[in-house]
Amino acid sequence: MTEETQTPPETRQTTPVESSHTDVLPSQEEQLRELEIKAAEHHDAWLRAKAETENVRRRAQEDIAKAHKFGIEKFASELLAVKDSLEAALASDKQTVEDLRGGVELTLKQLVSAFEHSGIKEIDPVGQKFDPHQHQAMGMVESGQEANTVVHVLQKGYLIADRVLRPALVMIARGKDA
């Protein structure tokens, strides 16, 4: 046996290669310090991301509130012309029936234009099949038309962006065989 193998490990002297190997590994305190720094950096980044998310959410809520509050502004500004026309008609003392009718027709054109610019469409279902999503049947009448066909519109309906704002009140055909 060699002398090196007989010497207990505690009393053995280390060679330069062995001592440099142990110097490369950082101590547990250094590792802990590095991990704490990284954890603090990650925590800071998380807090910043959380704050940014809250800011984006808050701005989105403000934008939604403004859209609700001022979304009708375009439509309202177009209705002002209609109101002005009606007030002008009422302010005039010496109007003939023809003048009044002409003014009402022009005012109606202004209103129809305001509706068109705002995406409000009229539902005129005469001759169409009854659609319970867009029409409200007020009754049935004898007619030569096919059953469940709209024969008469009592009150026009309106759509806004393909959503029913108000259903058309209609009379529908009872049908030939009923």
Side-chain angles (χ1 to χ4, degrees):
M1 286 198 175
T2 65
E3 186 177 307
E4 190 175 307
T5 57
Q6 293 176 349
T7 311
E10 304 85 40
T11 58
R12 208 172 8 145
Q13 291 193 357
T14 59
T15 61
V17 172
E18 290 176 344
S19 66
S20 68
H21 179 65
T22 56
D23 290 341
V24 172
L25 293 177
S27 68
Q28 287 183 345
E29 290 85 19
E30 290 172 347
Q31 288 178 348
L32 182 60
R33 208 170 310 122
E34 287 176 14
L35 291 174
E36 286 173 344
I37 290 169
K38 283 184 181 180
E41 288 172 358
H42 290 298
H43 182 70
D44 184 55
W46 174 78
L47 286 175
R48 289 176 190 272
K50 182 179 175 187
E52 180 63 23
T53 302
E54 283 297 314
N55 287 339
V56 168
R57 187 188 58 75
R58 181 186 46 76
R59 275 186 247 125
Q61 285 179 334
E62 288 172 2
D63 289 347
I64 289 169
K66 285 178 185 176
H68 283 292
K69 188 174 183 180
F70 300 112
I72 195 165
E73 184 176 11
K74 178 183 168 193
F75 181 64
S77 67
E78 293 199 23
L79 285 183
L80 292 178
V82 175
K83 183 179 184 292
D84 292 343
S85 294
L86 291 171
E87 287 174 345
L90 292 174
S92 179
D93 290 335
K94 297 179 183 175
Q95 287 191 35
T96 64
V97 174
E98 292 82 25
D99 291 340
L100 190 59
R101 180 171 180 80
V104 169
E105 287 173 352
L106 287 174
T107 303
L108 180 59
K109 285 181 183 178
Q110 288 176 321
L111 184 61
V112 168
S113 175
F115 280 8
E116 287 173 356
H117 290 136
S118 298
I120 298 173
K121 298 175 190 167
E122 194 175 280
I123 300 173
D124 186 14
V126 173
Q128 297 176 4
K129 278 294 214 185
F130 175 74
D131 179 356
H133 299 291
Q134 293 188 357
H135 314 138
Q136 182 175 346
M138 300 306 293
M140 297 181 94
V141 294
E142 295 295 329
S143 172
Q145 295 185 6
E146 188 178 328
N148 293 324
T149 301
V150 175
V151 177
H152 183 67
V153 176
L154 302 171
Q155 184 180 56
K156 293 177 183 177
Y158 293 91
L159 299 172
I160 186 165
D162 298 326
R163 177 188 274 178
V164 175
L165 183 60
R166 180 178 81 187
L169 301 181
V170 299
M171 299 296 285
I172 57 174
R174 187 179 313 264
K176 299 173 193 170
D177 52 341

